[in-house]
Amino acid sequence: MNTPFHVIIPARYQSVRLPGKPLRDIAGKSMIQRVYEQACRSGATQVVIATDDQRIVEAAQTFGAPVCLTSSRHPSGTDRLQEAAAQLQLQDDDIVVNVQGDEPLIPPAIIDQVARNLARHPRASISTLYAPCQDAQTMFNPNAIKVVTDTHGYALYFSRAPIPWVREHFDAPQPTLPADMTFKRHIGIYGYRAGFLQRYVQWPSAPIERWESLEQLRAMWNGEVIHVEEAVEIPRGGVDTPEDLERVQNWIISNQANSDS
């Protein structure tokens, strides 16, 4: 199934933990260039960078990436995505995949997957992915987002808390995961219908969104449907800290050396 879709990569220069993050060098290329190149390996009709910073615009121009210059006042990446989609004059039914600008190792296969998934589920306005969660430490880590779905794969809720709460296992002094259950850790890549983005930016922040600090809960609060599928490939993780940057750089250098040998 060939699904036409667009990739937009929101990229902010400012980052509390890693200033200038999109332009940080990773083995001879900027982070944003590596993200762009990975996205271009997907089946996207077009790949566009959306930023509010002229330095990122100029960097993107050096490697030939199309850029939408957006407002600096957007409270979230989703708002920036919507402005870029409007600049590109996308139609309401067009599918947009949001690829984070700090994911230089994002597998192209999962970019294609969220687009296909959304195309296959006309009830949904959003698609996203999960990976099986197999250890209690991850389940109880608030930085690892969990999702519960219904029998058809539609999201019931996302949370930083361990959900569903399995009382006989989680109330124990040393919590364990029951072997007969599949827990789902959310992977933060999204496919959207462009018309949904127009609706999203008109809604105020929802209480559950603020409590959990999860943007997708604003959509659910307003009755939007999200379909969730198991990822065909697990991403190696994004870059939030100098330690993450070093980890990604070492992985790229090691794999370049292996491919050359």
mmCIF file of all heavy atoms in Angstrom, residues 76 157 200 203-219 221:
data_model
loop_
_atom_site.group_PDB
_atom_site.id
_atom_site.type_symbol
_atom_site.label_atom_id
_atom_site.label_comp_id
_atom_site.label_asym_id
_atom_site.label_seq_id
_atom_site.Cartn_x
_atom_site.Cartn_y
_atom_site.Cartn_z
ATOM 1 N N SER A 76 4.188 24.713 21.468
ATOM 2 C CA SER A 76 4.533 23.304 21.298
ATOM 3 C C SER A 76 4.946 23.036 19.860
ATOM 4 O O SER A 76 4.691 23.832 18.951
ATOM 5 C CB SER A 76 3.337 22.408 21.652
ATOM 6 O OG SER A 76 2.346 22.496 20.641
ATOM 7 N N TYR A 157 -5.812 5.637 26.879
ATOM 8 C CA TYR A 157 -5.171 6.662 27.706
ATOM 9 C C TYR A 157 -3.653 6.537 27.586
ATOM 10 O O TYR A 157 -3.122 5.443 27.352
ATOM 11 C CB TYR A 157 -5.576 6.520 29.185
ATOM 12 C CG TYR A 157 -5.223 7.739 30.021
ATOM 13 C CD1 TYR A 157 -5.816 8.978 29.758
ATOM 14 C CD2 TYR A 157 -4.286 7.670 31.045
ATOM 15 C CE1 TYR A 157 -5.493 10.103 30.496
ATOM 16 C CE2 TYR A 157 -3.952 8.793 31.799
ATOM 17 C CZ TYR A 157 -4.558 10.009 31.516
ATOM 18 O OH TYR A 157 -4.226 11.129 32.249
ATOM 19 N N TYR A 200 -6.699 21.322 16.451
ATOM 20 C CA TYR A 200 -5.900 21.221 17.673
ATOM 21 C C TYR A 200 -5.475 22.589 18.200
ATOM 22 O O TYR A 200 -5.573 22.861 19.401
ATOM 23 C CB TYR A 200 -4.665 20.352 17.401
ATOM 24 C CG TYR A 200 -3.762 20.170 18.603
ATOM 25 C CD1 TYR A 200 -3.943 19.109 19.475
ATOM 26 C CD2 TYR A 200 -2.714 21.061 18.850
ATOM 27 C CE1 TYR A 200 -3.121 18.934 20.579
ATOM 28 C CE2 TYR A 200 -1.885 20.891 19.943
ATOM 29 C CZ TYR A 200 -2.098 19.829 20.803
ATOM 30 O OH TYR A 200 -1.274 19.675 21.898
ATOM 31 N N TRP A 203 -7.931 24.675 20.386
ATOM 32 C CA TRP A 203 -8.383 24.228 21.696
ATOM 33 C C TRP A 203 -7.477 24.747 22.799
ATOM 34 O O TRP A 203 -6.254 24.809 22.630
ATOM 35 C CB TRP A 203 -8.378 22.702 21.778
ATOM 36 C CG TRP A 203 -9.306 22.021 20.838
ATOM 37 C CD1 TRP A 203 -10.542 22.424 20.453
ATOM 38 C CD2 TRP A 203 -9.060 20.785 20.153
ATOM 39 N NE1 TRP A 203 -11.105 21.520 19.580
ATOM 40 C CE2 TRP A 203 -10.210 20.507 19.383
ATOM 41 C CE3 TRP A 203 -7.998 19.887 20.139
ATOM 42 C CZ2 TRP A 203 -10.308 19.366 18.596
ATOM 43 C CZ3 TRP A 203 -8.088 18.745 19.360
ATOM 44 C CH2 TRP A 203 -9.236 18.496 18.593
ATOM 45 N N PRO A 204 -8.031 25.101 23.950
ATOM 46 C CA PRO A 204 -7.175 25.424 25.101
ATOM 47 C C PRO A 204 -6.528 24.158 25.638
ATOM 48 O O PRO A 204 -6.985 23.032 25.373
ATOM 49 C CB PRO A 204 -8.163 26.007 26.121
ATOM 50 C CG PRO A 204 -9.475 25.372 25.771
ATOM 51 C CD PRO A 204 -9.472 25.205 24.267
ATOM 52 N N SER A 205 -5.478 24.330 26.386
ATOM 53 C CA SER A 205 -4.830 23.196 27.045
ATOM 54 C C SER A 205 -5.838 22.467 27.925
ATOM 55 O O SER A 205 -6.630 23.093 28.630
ATOM 56 C CB SER A 205 -3.649 23.693 27.878
ATOM 57 O OG SER A 205 -3.075 22.635 28.605
ATOM 58 N N ALA A 206 -5.823 21.147 27.897
ATOM 59 C CA ALA A 206 -6.762 20.337 28.678
ATOM 60 C C ALA A 206 -6.191 20.024 30.055
ATOM 61 O O ALA A 206 -4.961 19.936 30.210
ATOM 62 C CB ALA A 206 -7.068 19.038 27.939
ATOM 63 N N PRO A 207 -7.047 19.842 31.056
ATOM 64 C CA PRO A 207 -6.539 19.511 32.405
ATOM 65 C C PRO A 207 -5.636 18.287 32.410
ATOM 66 O O PRO A 207 -4.551 18.320 33.004
ATOM 67 C CB PRO A 207 -7.821 19.285 33.212
ATOM 68 C CG PRO A 207 -8.863 20.083 32.508
ATOM 69 C CD PRO A 207 -8.516 20.027 31.052
ATOM 70 N N ILE A 208 -6.055 17.197 31.763
ATOM 71 C CA ILE A 208 -5.218 15.994 31.799
ATOM 72 C C ILE A 208 -3.906 16.204 31.054
ATOM 73 O O ILE A 208 -2.884 15.605 31.409
ATOM 74 C CB ILE A 208 -5.969 14.757 31.249
ATOM 75 C CG1 ILE A 208 -6.525 15.016 29.842
ATOM 76 C CG2 ILE A 208 -7.090 14.339 32.204
ATOM 77 C CD1 ILE A 208 -7.134 13.762 29.197
ATOM 78 N N GLU A 209 -3.921 17.055 30.040
ATOM 79 C CA GLU A 209 -2.685 17.394 29.326
ATOM 80 C C GLU A 209 -1.707 18.086 30.263
ATOM 81 O O GLU A 209 -0.513 17.768 30.294
ATOM 82 C CB GLU A 209 -3.013 18.290 28.134
ATOM 83 C CG GLU A 209 -1.800 18.841 27.405
ATOM 84 C CD GLU A 209 -2.144 19.959 26.441
ATOM 85 O OE1 GLU A 209 -3.320 20.384 26.403
ATOM 86 O OE2 GLU A 209 -1.228 20.427 25.735
ATOM 87 N N ARG A 210 -2.224 19.033 31.057
ATOM 88 C CA ARG A 210 -1.357 19.763 31.982
ATOM 89 C C ARG A 210 -0.862 18.859 33.105
ATOM 90 O O ARG A 210 0.308 18.922 33.499
ATOM 91 C CB ARG A 210 -2.110 20.967 32.568
ATOM 92 C CG ARG A 210 -2.492 22.015 31.527
ATOM 93 C CD ARG A 210 -2.946 23.307 32.186
ATOM 94 N NE ARG A 210 -4.149 23.120 33.001
ATOM 95 C CZ ARG A 210 -5.391 23.225 32.526
ATOM 96 N NH1 ARG A 210 -5.593 23.487 31.235
ATOM 97 N NH2 ARG A 210 -6.435 23.081 33.325
ATOM 98 N N TRP A 211 -1.740 18.017 33.630
ATOM 99 C CA TRP A 211 -1.339 17.142 34.742
ATOM 100 C C TRP A 211 -0.241 16.163 34.323
ATOM 101 O O TRP A 211 0.721 15.954 35.046
ATOM 102 C CB TRP A 211 -2.551 16.356 35.259
ATOM 103 C CG TRP A 211 -3.646 17.206 35.800
ATOM 104 C CD1 TRP A 211 -3.540 18.468 36.345
ATOM 105 C CD2 TRP A 211 -5.045 16.893 35.835
ATOM 106 N NE1 TRP A 211 -4.765 18.944 36.709
ATOM 107 C CE2 TRP A 211 -5.707 18.003 36.419
ATOM 108 C CE3 TRP A 211 -5.792 15.790 35.436
ATOM 109 C CZ2 TRP A 211 -7.092 18.026 36.606
ATOM 110 C CZ3 TRP A 211 -7.163 15.813 35.625
ATOM 111 C CH2 TRP A 211 -7.801 16.911 36.204
ATOM 112 N N GLU A 212 -0.403 15.581 33.135
ATOM 113 C CA GLU A 212 0.553 14.569 32.684
ATOM 114 C C GLU A 212 1.693 15.181 31.852
ATOM 115 O O GLU A 212 2.701 14.528 31.619
ATOM 116 C CB GLU A 212 -0.164 13.527 31.819
ATOM 117 C CG GLU A 212 -1.208 12.699 32.548
ATOM 118 C CD GLU A 212 -0.665 11.367 33.052
ATOM 119 O OE1 GLU A 212 0.575 11.208 33.117
ATOM 120 O OE2 GLU A 212 -1.492 10.497 33.388
ATOM 121 N N SER A 213 1.502 16.426 31.395
ATOM 122 C CA SER A 213 2.439 17.076 30.479
ATOM 123 C C SER A 213 2.613 16.232 29.208
ATOM 124 O O SER A 213 3.722 15.934 28.781
ATOM 125 C CB SER A 213 3.792 17.316 31.151
ATOM 126 O OG SER A 213 4.619 18.145 30.349
ATOM 127 N N LEU A 214 1.460 15.887 28.617
ATOM 128 C CA LEU A 214 1.441 15.081 27.395
ATOM 129 C C LEU A 214 0.452 15.731 26.416
ATOM 130 O O LEU A 214 -0.754 15.768 26.678
ATOM 131 C CB LEU A 214 1.001 13.642 27.693
ATOM 132 C CG LEU A 214 1.944 12.820 28.583
ATOM 133 C CD1 LEU A 214 1.319 11.466 28.905
ATOM 134 C CD2 LEU A 214 3.301 12.641 27.922
ATOM 135 N N GLU A 215 0.960 16.229 25.293
ATOM 136 C CA GLU A 215 0.123 16.967 24.340
ATOM 137 C C GLU A 215 -0.994 16.120 23.738
ATOM 138 O O GLU A 215 -2.073 16.637 23.430
ATOM 139 C CB GLU A 215 0.993 17.502 23.200
ATOM 140 C CG GLU A 215 1.920 18.636 23.575
ATOM 141 C CD GLU A 215 2.735 19.083 22.375
ATOM 142 O OE1 GLU A 215 2.185 19.130 21.249
ATOM 143 O OE2 GLU A 215 3.928 19.375 22.545
ATOM 144 N N GLN A 216 -0.745 14.810 23.543
ATOM 145 C CA GLN A 216 -1.752 13.976 22.887
ATOM 146 C C GLN A 216 -3.034 13.866 23.703
ATOM 147 O O GLN A 216 -4.109 13.567 23.160
ATOM 148 C CB GLN A 216 -1.198 12.574 22.582
ATOM 149 C CG GLN A 216 -0.805 11.735 23.781
ATOM 150 C CD GLN A 216 0.651 11.906 24.154
ATOM 151 O OE1 GLN A 216 1.160 13.013 24.166
ATOM 152 N NE2 GLN A 216 1.304 10.807 24.466
ATOM 153 N N LEU A 217 -2.951 14.158 25.003
ATOM 154 C CA LEU A 217 -4.155 14.085 25.838
ATOM 155 C C LEU A 217 -5.119 15.235 25.543
ATOM 156 O O LEU A 217 -6.314 15.122 25.817
ATOM 157 C CB LEU A 217 -3.771 14.061 27.315
ATOM 158 C CG LEU A 217 -3.025 12.791 27.762
ATOM 159 C CD1 LEU A 217 -2.658 12.880 29.226
ATOM 160 C CD2 LEU A 217 -3.853 11.537 27.480
ATOM 161 N N ARG A 218 -4.634 16.329 24.985
ATOM 162 C CA ARG A 218 -5.541 17.396 24.557
ATOM 163 C C ARG A 218 -6.446 16.893 23.438
ATOM 164 O O ARG A 218 -7.649 17.181 23.414
ATOM 165 C CB ARG A 218 -4.776 18.631 24.077
ATOM 166 C CG ARG A 218 -5.688 19.815 23.790
ATOM 167 C CD ARG A 218 -4.988 20.972 23.097
ATOM 168 N NE ARG A 218 -3.732 21.343 23.723
ATOM 169 C CZ ARG A 218 -2.976 22.359 23.320
ATOM 170 N NH1 ARG A 218 -3.383 23.127 22.307
ATOM 171 N NH2 ARG A 218 -1.835 22.630 23.912
ATOM 172 N N ALA A 219 -5.869 16.109 22.543
ATOM 173 C CA ALA A 219 -6.671 15.542 21.453
ATOM 174 C C ALA A 219 -7.726 14.584 22.010
ATOM 175 O O ALA A 219 -8.900 14.649 21.634
ATOM 176 C CB ALA A 219 -5.762 14.815 20.470
ATOM 177 N N TRP A 221 -8.999 14.497 25.029
ATOM 178 C CA TRP A 221 -9.954 15.271 25.820
ATOM 179 C C TRP A 221 -11.055 15.841 24.932
ATOM 180 O O TRP A 221 -12.211 15.960 25.350
ATOM 181 C CB TRP A 221 -9.199 16.395 26.530
ATOM 182 C CG TRP A 221 -10.013 17.311 27.388
ATOM 183 C CD1 TRP A 221 -10.563 18.505 27.025
ATOM 184 C CD2 TRP A 221 -10.357 17.113 28.761
ATOM 185 N NE1 TRP A 221 -11.219 19.078 28.087
ATOM 186 C CE2 TRP A 221 -11.110 18.235 29.174
ATOM 187 C CE3 TRP A 221 -10.094 16.110 29.696
ATOM 188 C CZ2 TRP A 221 -11.603 18.384 30.466
ATOM 189 C CZ3 TRP A 221 -10.574 16.253 30.991
ATOM 190 C CH2 TRP A 221 -11.336 17.375 31.351
#
